[in-house]
């Protein structure tokens, strides 16, 4: 679904969920009330049924800008039952589950998106899974390189990010996973 519609930001995904909308703080009257203008907030706020929700990454509080290049699945838990996961606010939780390295087969994908109109976008995505030791050790890498230009000069939004994860399964009862991300986002 996400790939068919070219959705790669959680802000675009919210448009297809029922009862959810972006909280742009357009109703606040106080000075400096909009945290996005001064860069005080790196993640966008989402309201579910009019109440603020939380965003998670593998069920931990998400503090990085959202992008689907490293996401294997989105989960939405509406209302206070999201508190069962420990990081939710009263509105609910939108969780991003990252891709996992799988120890049973190699796989890979390269995709390219070209956009035109008010925002011209060039976006490359790479996702690969490599089995080092069958059923024991695997490495997965996801990367994105995106350049967006707008109709006003200078208007751009560029990102280069890299995500990696390792899965080690020494026996049937124990699985260790380590993941990390590095990258930059630039824009006007």
């Amino acid at each position: 679904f996400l790939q068919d519609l070219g959705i790669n930001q959680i802000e675009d995904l919210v448009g297809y969920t029922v009862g959810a909308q972006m909280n742009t703080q357009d109703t606040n009257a106080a000075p400096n009330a909009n945290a996005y203008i001064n860069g005080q907030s790196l993640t966008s706020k989402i309201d579910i049924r009019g109440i603020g929700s939380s965003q998670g990454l593998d069920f931990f509080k998400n503090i990085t800008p959202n992008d689907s290049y490293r996401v294997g699945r989105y989960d939405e838990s509406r209302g206070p039952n999201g508190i069962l996961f420990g990081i939710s606010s009263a509105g609910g939780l939108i969780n991003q589950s990252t891709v996992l390295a799988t120890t049973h087969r190699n796989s890979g994908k390269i995709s390219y998106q070209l956009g035109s109109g008010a925002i011209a976008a060039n976006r490359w995505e790479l996702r690969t899974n490599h089995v080092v030791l069958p059923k024991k050790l695997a490495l997965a890498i996801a990367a994105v390189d995106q350049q967006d230009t707008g109709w006003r000069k200078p208007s751009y939004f560029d990102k280069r990010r890299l995500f990696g994860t390792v899965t080690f399964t020494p026996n049937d009862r124990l699985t260790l996973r380590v993941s990390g991300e590095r990258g930059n986002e630039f824009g006007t």
Side-chain angles (χ1 to χ4, degrees):
F1 173 74
L2 300 176
Q3 189 175 13
D4 293 339
L5 296 176
I7 294 174
N8 52 38
Q9 302 289 337
I10 201 167
E11 293 85 0
D12 299 331
L13 175 67
V14 168
Y16 292 93
T17 61
V18 178
Q21 66 185 16
M22 298 306 302
N23 179 349
T24 57
Q25 297 185 352
D26 57 353
T27 59
N28 294 348
N32 299 325
N34 193 338
Y36 306 110
I37 292 176
N38 296 328
Q40 298 167 348
S41 179
L42 293 175
T43 58
S44 302
K45 305 294 184 218
I46 298 171
D47 290 343
I48 297 176
R49 298 180 185 157
I51 303 171
S53 67
S54 300
Q55 293 180 44
L57 182 65
D58 291 330
F59 295 104
F60 289 95
K61 186 172 176 64
N62 186 18
I63 59 170
T64 61
N66 299 304
D67 198 296
S68 66
Y69 85 98
R70 61 167 156 56
V71 174
R73 183 179 77 204
Y74 285 100
D75 301 305
E76 182 180 7
S77 178
R78 293 172 171 257
N81 62 339
I83 294 173
L84 296 174
F85 295 107
I87 61 167
S88 177
S89 59
L93 171 69
I94 296 179
N95 184 62
Q96 305 169 64
S97 297
T98 58
V99 294
L100 298 174
T102 57
T103 59
H104 61 278
R105 71 179 175 112
N106 293 328
S107 63
K109 173 181 93 164
I110 296 175
S111 64
Y112 177 72
Q113 291 179 355
L114 176 64
S116 62
I119 297 176
N122 293 307
R123 180 181 172 94
W124 286 94
E125 283 188 32
L126 166 75
R127 191 179 287 186
T128 182
N129 185 79
H130 181 70
V131 177
V132 179
L133 296 171
K135 297 184 180 179
K136 295 283 183 189
L137 182 64
L139 169 70
I141 295 174
V144 65
D145 182 21
Q146 175 177 321
Q147 294 91 32
D148 292 352
T149 59
W151 58 274
R152 293 185 304 177
K153 302 289 183 192
S155 176
Y156 67 94
F157 184 73
D158 298 344
K159 64 175 74 173
R160 287 185 182 90
R161 294 169 65 179
L162 178 67
F163 175 81
T165 183
V166 175
T167 298
F168 178 56
T169 308
N171 57 46
D172 293 339
R173 300 182 70 194
L174 180 64
T175 299
L176 302 172
R177 291 192 173 100
V178 176
S179 62
E181 182 176 21
R182 181 161 176 97
N184 293 313
E185 295 192 5
F186 308 98
T188 57

